[in-house]
Amino acid sequence: MLVNGCDCLIVIKTQYREMGVPYAEETIREAVSLLKEEATIEGGGLCRAIRKSGGVTGCVVTPLTIGTAPFLLYLAMGSAGLPLYVSETRNIYRYKLNLLPVEDGSRFDLVQERGGSRTLYEGCAVTSFELRFNRGETVHLRLDIKGERPPAIYPYTDPLTTETGERFSGDYVTYRINGTEYPNIYSFTLTTKKEGGTRTELRIKRALKQGGDLPDPIEELTITAQLLRDKYEYRHFGMFCITLTRLVMVSDETAIDCADAVIGPLRYYVAGTVNAEVFTNGGETLE
């Protein structure tokens, strides 16, 4: 079930942080399994089922904003180093995020307010995520969430608020491949599965142009998303970067069958590392 409305709210809590997350979709719910006993063919038996709670399952699709991007990318990646002060800025700190399997990554609690009632899901983790950059659209992050503890009633009645702020847009994202910027990339989707290890794939849509295509092989690709308002310190607060190394092409699905500009999709497997850099104001912790 997809939920999108003003009467619903998602709040993510860690030991030191609490943030109301704006979302486009959410399917957070109790995971339920049934142990079912069917009647015999002759019809002499009874049909029974035992209901067993399996914790929490579902996903949250959220637009990334200046306030939510560092925190949500940290939860997606799983690990953050110590904050480092950025020289020649007033109060900006940099975190390096590392991709970890779900077994080794960060844990958090999730509060869901729906229809006037509040439900607490404890000990949640991100099992996979998808980050989407499209020209003319807001940058969206999908978090697939799983937890083993059964839900509980959230007892606190304090007002819960949603984080607001400028949203990242695909129009202000740059892509550098092997040190060279490629402005002909129209769409970029990064998908990572984290159970039993990490597996990352990319889907890139680019406009074919004269003079060459994307290089092969790709040793390093850096995606930089930036907010351009004057009140943010240039290239720091209001920015995040994701760096991937050793990209192996899986398929080229480009079909050239028209006289107009051709935008063709490429699929890559990441055989190297995946890490990110995010910036916060005032050295606030991500954990």
Side-chain angles (χ1 to χ4, degrees):
M1 177 177 60
L2 301 182
V3 179
N4 189 354
C6 60
D7 61 337
C8 303
L9 182 65
I10 291 291
V11 176
I12 294 178
K13 300 161 59 70
T14 61
Q15 185 176 2
Y16 301 105
R17 294 290 304 275
E18 177 178 314
M19 180 176 292
V21 178
Y23 63 88
E25 300 173 2
E26 70 97 346
T27 61
I28 301 300
R29 61 198 183 278
E30 181 182 7
V32 176
S33 60
L34 293 177
L35 179 61
K36 191 174 182 181
E37 179 184 358
E38 297 285 356
T40 61
I41 298 177
E42 293 80 6
L46 298 176
C47 180
R48 300 182 178 90
I50 300 175
R51 183 179 184 274
K52 180 180 179 181
S53 174
V56 58
T57 187
C59 75
V60 175
V61 181
T62 175
L64 290 184
T65 71
I66 188 172
T68 64
F71 184 54
L72 294 180
L73 289 174
Y74 153 68
L75 295 179
M77 298 288 285
S79 172
L82 296 175
L84 298 176
Y85 172 70
V86 179
S87 61
E88 301 182 1
T89 66
R90 292 186 295 272
N91 197 23
I92 304 301
Y93 289 78
R94 175 177 64 87
Y95 281 91
K96 182 177 181 181
L97 310 180
N98 297 309
L99 181 63
L100 293 179
V102 63
E103 297 82 8
D104 302 324
S106 55
R107 297 275 172 168
F108 57 91
D109 298 338
L110 188 146
V111 179
Q112 179 190 62
E113 184 177 61
R114 183 184 294 172
S117 62
R118 297 179 181 180
T119 305
L120 173 65
Y121 301 94
E122 296 181 289
C124 299
V126 175
T127 58
S128 64
F129 66 91
E130 180 179 278
L131 189 58
R132 300 195 301 266
F133 304 88
N134 292 319
R135 292 269 185 95
E137 298 181 11
T138 301
V139 177
H140 278 81
L141 174 67
R142 171 188 170 121
L143 299 175
D144 294 310
I145 295 171
K146 184 177 180 180
E148 299 179 355
R149 301 182 187 179
I153 297 175
Y154 191 67
Y156 302 102
T157 58
D158 297 338
L160 302 176
T161 58
T162 298
E163 183 75 19
T164 59
E166 186 181 357
R167 297 184 176 187
F168 287 91
S169 170
D171 292 337
Y172 304 111
V173 177
T174 59
Y175 306 90
R176 298 186 68 88
I177 299 176
N178 298 342
T180 302
E181 183 176 340
Y182 283 79
N184 61 321
I185 295 178
Y186 277 77
S187 175
F188 186 99
T189 302
L190 183 152
T191 304
T192 297
K193 297 180 180 180
K194 302 176 57 179
E195 293 184 288
T198 60
R199 299 170 299 282
T200 300
E201 291 188 1
L202 308 177
R203 188 174 179 87
I204 302 174
K205 292 184 178 180
R206 84 289 190 215
L208 295 182
K209 61 180 181 178
Q210 293 182 347
D213 199 356
L214 303 187
D216 186 23
I218 296 179
E219 294 296 334
E220 182 178 276
L221 186 153
T222 301
I223 308 106
T224 303
Q226 196 170 339
L227 298 174
L228 301 180
R229 290 185 179 176
D230 292 338
K231 67 179 182 179
Y232 306 133
E233 294 194 55
Y234 180 62
R235 296 184 63 82
H236 296 298
F237 189 55
M239 183 185 80
F240 65 86
C241 301
I242 299 176
T243 302
L244 310 105
T245 62
R246 297 181 58 201
L247 273 61
V248 179
M249 183 180 292
V250 177
S251 65
D252 182 351
E253 302 172 13
T254 305
I256 304 176
D257 55 2
C258 65
D260 296 330
V262 176
I263 299 178
L266 303 171
R267 291 180 58 205
Y268 290 89
Y269 168 77
V270 180
T273 59
V274 179
N275 56 63
E277 287 186 349
V278 297
F279 298 84
T280 61
N281 191 10
E284 57 187 13
T285 181
L286 295 180
E287 299 180 353

